[in-house]
């Protein structure tokens, strides 16, 4: 127990209070200093610091890392800030704003853009019945003003959804802030005030709010946002005060100081750093958690801060080191660039190998033809590498791969019908080349991330596998239809030749000389078969099978019957040609009558696909519910199944056999 006079007791208590105050850290002014955007970039620790009450900050700072203090000089953060700075203007466009309110917003944004630093990227989010990203963050101030000028007031108020959309748009890198103009009321959001406050705290986004009065005013909501985001609420009673509030927000960005220091040697992983200095003559100290990654092995030499502006808040930066290396032109990683180069070299080598024979001169080809039949010359050339050995090896491998497959016969039938000079092995090599080129092309076009590249590779693989077969079938069907269209005229020409006294081979020879392709080439081939001993009827039947022509099968059957039992072949062919013309006329008539149904089918199939792609571009947050929720996945699967059934049903309805 203390024994003494009351005066001595008061003196002792006073000394104790003074001692306690002296023991308080020099962080009493922490609430007036805001440190944002601290990150590791290009071997340096960079960040931004500003005073929230307008006080000047002494540029001399002390940064303590792993128990060691480093003096750092802060500089004015002009257009060369090493930290990406992004702000999004969040505007209430509900019906309560009215025409005059929107005019005030436009003039306030114009004043904001005049004062904001050039390196700050500005975006626009509006909310009425729903939140909308009207403009992604950009350095083009003209686009920002144009986006705000296009806003109109109408509908309900989705304040919480608008703030959440702005937070998601800002990303997770650099110095990020929102400038909110609202009365604090909310009538249509799917989010809540609590989730919105949590989103601001989690993302560490600074929130500045301009409060205007209305029947739904709720300043406490705006205060909760600014408290979570380390900003302030400014009341705006008229248009002038709104403009002043926006200008003040721009000046806050302009007053930020940036600091940069080389990474300390041997420091890695997540570290709590301390930043101390003076603001308005008063000492302050604040802490922040920074991930130094792997750190640096040796003490680096002090270098100037990287003042190149970052293009946006989502730029990929490797923690604890330099930014991800990219090729200056394509903007892809070195590994992908090397892969692309290897694929390009391989494709060029394959093309050169496959086409090496086409570069031979006429003299070389004649000499090689002679060498094939001269044993002595072949013996002399024995052991020498042939110029097209690579292509022959690839084709031989393709022949081995295609041999024994059930699909090979169908493939070769399509190749023959399309009149393509390809063997089975050459077709296999062509498909491999198509797969490689397709995968490489899609990976180059969609190289935004690992998942995107994997999806692009899968899509490229599917395109490379199915596109050549689809194109081959298209070419063969097109040539087959052209042959079918020529057949009535060809039969009429044969009948006329027979009537003048020509024999059937002579009549076929007239077709080969006078008709157009593909009929001329196919009849010439059939005639060539007859000249080496094949029967005319058999040659025509093989042509019908080669062209998959039912009409030609009937024609060859009529010729065979006439040759066996006798009769007037010319009259038979004229009758056949007339029948074919009547069938073609009926088929075209039916196709004209079913044109409306086919067009309706095309529109009904393309409409949901087109709306899906359009909504993906205009309202991605809305459409992504189809693959981010269980109900959405069920709906999209059901929609695809229904679309497939509808396509099959409508095709059967309009497909009339003649």
């Amino acid at each position: 127990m203390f024994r003494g006079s009351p005066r001595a007791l008061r003196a002792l208590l006073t000394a104790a209070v003074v001692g306690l105050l002296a023991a308080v850290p020099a962080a009493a002014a922490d609430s007036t200093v805001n440190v944002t955007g601290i990150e590791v970039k290009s071997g340096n620790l960079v960040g931004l610091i500003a005073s929230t009450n307008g006080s000047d900050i002494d540029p001399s700072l002390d940064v303590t890392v792993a128990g060691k203090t480093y003096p750092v000089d802060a500089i004015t953060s002009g257009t060369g800030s090493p930290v990406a700075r992004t702000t999004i203007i969040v505007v209430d466009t509900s019906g309560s704003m009215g025409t005059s309110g929107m005019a005030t917003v436009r003039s306030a944004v114009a004043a904001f853009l005049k004062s904001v630093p050039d390196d700050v990227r500005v975006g626009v989010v509006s909310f009425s019945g729903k939140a909308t990203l009207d403009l992604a963050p950009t350095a083009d101030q003209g686009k920002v003003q144009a986006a705000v000028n296009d806003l109109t007031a109408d509908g309900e108020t989705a304040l919480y959804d608008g703030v959440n959309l702005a937070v998601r748009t800002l990303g997770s890198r650099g110095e990020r802030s929102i400038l909110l103009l609202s009365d604090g009321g909310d009538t249509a959001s799917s989010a809540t005030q609590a989730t919105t406050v949590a989103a601001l705290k989690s993302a560490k986004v600074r929130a500045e709010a301009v409060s205007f009065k209305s029947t739904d005013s709720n300043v406490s909501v705006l205060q909760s946002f600014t408290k979570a985001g380390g900003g302030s609420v400014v009341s705006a009673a008229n248009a002038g005060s709104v403009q002043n509030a926006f200008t003040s927000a721009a000046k806050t960005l302009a007053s930020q100081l940036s600091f940069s220091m080389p990474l300390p040697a041997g420091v890695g992983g997540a570290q709590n750093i301390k930043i101390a200095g003076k603001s308005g003559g008063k000492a302050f100290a604040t802490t922040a958690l920074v991930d130094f990654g792997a750190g640096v092995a040796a003490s680096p030499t002090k270098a100037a801060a990287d003042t190149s502006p970052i293009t946006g808040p989502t730029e990929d930066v490797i923690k604890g080191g330099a930014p991800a290396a990219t090729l200056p032109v394509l903007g892809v990683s070195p590994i992908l660039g090397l892969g692309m180069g290897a694929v390009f070299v391989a494709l060029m080598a394959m093309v050169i190998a496959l086409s090496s024979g086409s570069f031979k001169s006429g003299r070389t080809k004649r000499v090689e033809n002679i060498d094939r039949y001269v044993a002595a010359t072949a013996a002399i050339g024995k052991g020498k590498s042939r110029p097209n050995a690579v292509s022959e090896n690839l084709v031989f491998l393709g022949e081995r791969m295609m041999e024994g497959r059930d699909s090979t016969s169908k493939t070769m039938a399509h190749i023959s019908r399309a009149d393509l000079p390809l063997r089975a092995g050459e077709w296999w090599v062509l498909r491999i080349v198509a797969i490689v080129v397709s995968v490489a092309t899609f990976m180059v076009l969609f190289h935004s991330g690992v998942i995107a590249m994997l999806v692009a590779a899968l899509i490229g693989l599917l395109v490379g596998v199915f596109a050549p077969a689809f194109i081959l079938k298209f070419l063969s069907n097109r040539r087959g239809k052209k042959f079918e269209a020529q057949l009535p005229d060809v039969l009429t020409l044969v009948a006329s030749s027979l009537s003048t006294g020509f024999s059937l081979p002579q009549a076929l020879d007239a077709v080969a000389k006078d008709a157009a392709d593909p009929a001329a080439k196919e009849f010439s081939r059939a005639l060539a078969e007859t000249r080496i001993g094949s029967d005319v009827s058999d040659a025509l039947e093989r042509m019908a099978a080669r062209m998959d022509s039912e009409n030609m099968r009937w024609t060859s059957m009529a010729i065979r019957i006439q040759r066996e039992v006798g009769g007037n072949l010319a009259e038979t062919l004229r009758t056949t040609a007339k029948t074919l013309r009547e069938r073609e006329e009926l088929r075209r008539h039916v196709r004209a009558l079913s044109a409306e149904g086919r067009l309706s089918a095309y529109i009904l199939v393309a409409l949901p696909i087109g709306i899906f792609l359009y909504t993906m571009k205009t309202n991605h947050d809305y459409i992504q519910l189809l693959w981010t929720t269980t109900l959405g996945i069920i709906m999209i699967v059901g929609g695809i199944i229904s679309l497939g059934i509808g396509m099959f049903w409508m095709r059967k309805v309009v497909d009339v056999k003649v």
Side-chain angles (χ1 to χ4, degrees):
M1 179 180 294
F2 176 76
R3 298 179 184 273
S5 65
R7 181 177 296 178
L9 177 60
R10 288 194 298 270
L12 180 60
L13 291 174
T14 302
V17 171
V18 173
L20 288 174
L21 292 176
V24 175
D30 285 357
S31 60
T32 63
V33 174
N34 188 13
V35 180
T36 58
I38 300 179
E39 62 181 354
V40 172
K41 178 177 181 286
S42 301
N44 292 285
L45 178 66
V46 297
L48 294 173
I49 186 170
S51 174
T52 59
N53 60 4
S55 301
D56 293 333
I57 297 179
D58 192 326
S60 298
L61 304 176
D62 290 328
V63 179
T64 303
V65 181
K68 187 175 181 180
T69 301
Y70 303 89
V72 176
D73 291 333
I75 60 174
T76 301
S77 183
T79 58
S81 172
V83 179
R85 295 192 291 176
T86 309
T87 188
I88 291 185
I89 302 173
V90 185
V91 182
D92 184 349
T93 57
S94 62
S96 61
M97 288 292 292
T99 304
S100 60
M102 297 311 301
T104 300
V105 171
R106 297 185 187 103
S107 61
V109 170
F112 173 83
L113 294 176
K114 288 181 180 179
S115 303
V116 74
D118 294 337
D119 70 307
V120 177
R121 295 164 59 87
V122 183
V124 179
V125 168
S126 63
F127 61 90
S128 53
K130 64 177 182 178
T132 304
L133 177 61
D134 300 288
L135 180 67
T138 178
D140 189 341
Q141 296 184 356
K143 291 183 178 180
V144 178
Q145 188 64 55
V148 174
N149 292 343
D150 292 338
L151 297 179
T152 57
D154 185 34
E156 300 293 330
T157 308
L159 168 62
Y160 304 147
D161 289 347
V163 175
N164 277 280
L165 176 58
V167 171
R168 291 196 301 271
T169 305
L170 286 169
S172 59
R173 308 295 299 183
E175 202 279 334
R176 294 154 290 127
S177 61
I178 63 173
L179 179 56
L180 173 63
L181 176 63
S182 172
D183 61 356
D186 188 293
T187 61
S189 287
S190 59
T192 63
Q193 179 182 352
T195 58
T196 306
V197 171
L200 287 168
K201 288 183 178 180
S202 176
K204 298 180 180 178
V205 172
R206 182 166 53 84
E208 301 287 348
V210 179
S211 173
F212 64 88
K213 293 183 179 181
S214 70
T215 56
D216 298 325
S217 295
N218 192 344
V219 180
S220 62
V221 173
L222 302 180
Q223 290 174 343
S224 67
F225 292 165
T226 57
K227 183 178 179 181
S232 59
V233 179
V234 178
S235 296
N238 51 52
S241 58
V242 172
Q243 183 170 332
N244 291 336
F246 272 66
T247 304
S248 177
K251 291 181 178 180
T252 299
L253 291 171
S255 65
Q256 288 178 329
L257 301 180
S258 65
F259 62 89
S260 175
M261 58 171 286
L263 294 180
V267 177
Q271 299 283 342
N272 272 312
I273 69 170
K274 178 182 177 182
I275 303 172
K278 290 185 178 181
S279 174
K282 296 182 179 180
F284 71 88
T286 185
T287 60
L289 182 65
V290 180
D291 187 358
F292 286 84
V296 291
S299 298
T301 58
K302 187 172 182 179
D306 181 8
T307 60
S308 59
I310 301 176
T311 58
T314 58
E315 181 170 350
D316 295 331
V317 179
I318 301 177
K319 292 182 178 181
T326 58
L327 297 178
V329 177
L330 296 179
V332 297
S333 63
I335 297 177
L336 179 59
L338 292 175
M340 292 165 49
V343 170
F344 178 79
V345 172
L347 291 177
M348 289 299 298
M350 186 176 296
V351 171
I352 293 173
L354 291 174
S355 59
S356 59
S358 61
F359 297 110
K360 297 177 182 178
S361 63
R363 178 177 178 277
T364 302
K365 293 180 179 179
R366 290 192 296 271
V367 172
E368 288 182 352
N369 290 333
I370 296 173
D371 288 345
R372 292 192 184 98
Y373 301 97
V374 180
T377 307
I380 293 174
K382 192 174 182 180
K384 295 182 179 180
S385 61
R386 300 170 63 183
N388 58 347
V390 176
S391 61
E392 289 185 355
N393 289 335
L394 289 174
V395 172
F396 176 74
L397 177 61
E399 296 283 356
R400 294 289 300 272
M401 297 298 296
M402 295 288 289
E403 185 179 358
R405 291 187 176 184
D406 296 335
S407 60
T408 301
S409 58
K410 296 181 180 179
T411 300
M412 296 311 298
H414 281 295
I415 290 176
S416 178
R417 193 177 309 142
D419 193 30
L420 297 177
L422 295 174
R423 293 180 290 169
E426 294 171 338
W427 172 250
W428 182 84
V429 173
L430 182 62
R431 295 199 68 174
I432 296 299
V433 172
I435 292 173
V436 174
V437 172
S438 180
V439 171
T441 301
F442 276 88
M443 290 182 69
V444 170
L445 293 178
F446 303 97
H447 60 270
S448 57
V450 177
I451 297 179
M453 289 186 63
L454 291 177
V455 174
L458 178 60
I459 296 175
L461 178 63
L462 294 177
V463 171
V465 169
F466 292 105
F470 175 80
I471 295 173
L472 176 61
K473 190 173 181 179
F474 170 78
L475 294 176
S476 66
N477 290 340
R478 185 179 66 175
R479 191 166 183 268
K481 291 179 180 179
K482 189 175 181 180
F483 178 82
E484 290 278 356
Q486 291 176 330
L487 192 56
D489 295 334
V490 168
L491 295 181
T492 302
L493 178 60
V494 173
S496 300
S497 299
L498 293 174
S499 299
T500 58
F502 282 14
S503 64
L504 181 59
Q506 290 175 328
L508 296 180
D509 184 62
V511 172
K513 291 180 180 178
D514 299 335
D517 284 335
K521 190 166 188 177
E522 293 301 324
F523 276 92
S524 176
R525 182 173 177 177
L527 189 62
E529 292 179 4
T530 62
R531 290 172 179 170
I532 59 176
S534 178
D535 185 70
V536 174
S537 300
D538 295 338
L540 293 177
E541 286 182 357
R542 282 192 290 271
M543 180 176 65
R546 186 167 58 251
M547 298 303 295
D548 193 22
S549 173
E550 191 68 26
N551 294 334
M552 191 63 212
R553 290 190 181 94
W554 292 349
T555 303
S556 62
M557 184 183 301
I559 293 175
R560 182 181 292 275
I561 293 173
Q562 188 276 336
R563 288 169 62 87
E564 291 179 356
V565 302
N568 190 341
L569 181 58
E571 188 64 27
T572 301
L573 293 179
R574 285 194 181 94
T575 303
T576 304
K578 181 181 179 181
T579 303
L580 294 181
R581 286 195 178 96
E582 290 176 350
R583 291 182 69 251
E584 180 64 17
E585 181 180 355
L586 180 59
R587 187 188 67 81
R588 293 184 178 181
H589 183 66
V590 170
R591 186 171 177 82
L593 293 177
S594 62
E596 182 180 357
R598 286 184 287 107
L599 182 60
S600 299
Y602 297 152
I603 293 175
L604 291 176
V605 170
L607 189 62
I609 299 175
I611 292 177
F612 174 80
L613 296 177
Y614 175 77
T615 312
M616 281 280 292
K617 181 68 175 177
T618 58
N619 197 347
H620 187 270
D621 293 336
Y622 173 78
I623 199 67
Q624 71 178 357
L625 296 175
L626 286 176
W627 60 84
T628 56
T629 62
T630 304
L631 180 59
I633 294 174
I634 295 174
M635 292 176 62
I636 196 170
V637 171
I640 293 174
I641 294 175
S642 300
L643 188 63
I645 295 174
M647 292 171 60
F648 175 78
W649 182 271
M650 288 185 292
R651 183 174 180 179
K652 288 298 182 182
V653 169
V654 300
D655 186 16
V656 181
K657 298 294 183 182
V658 179

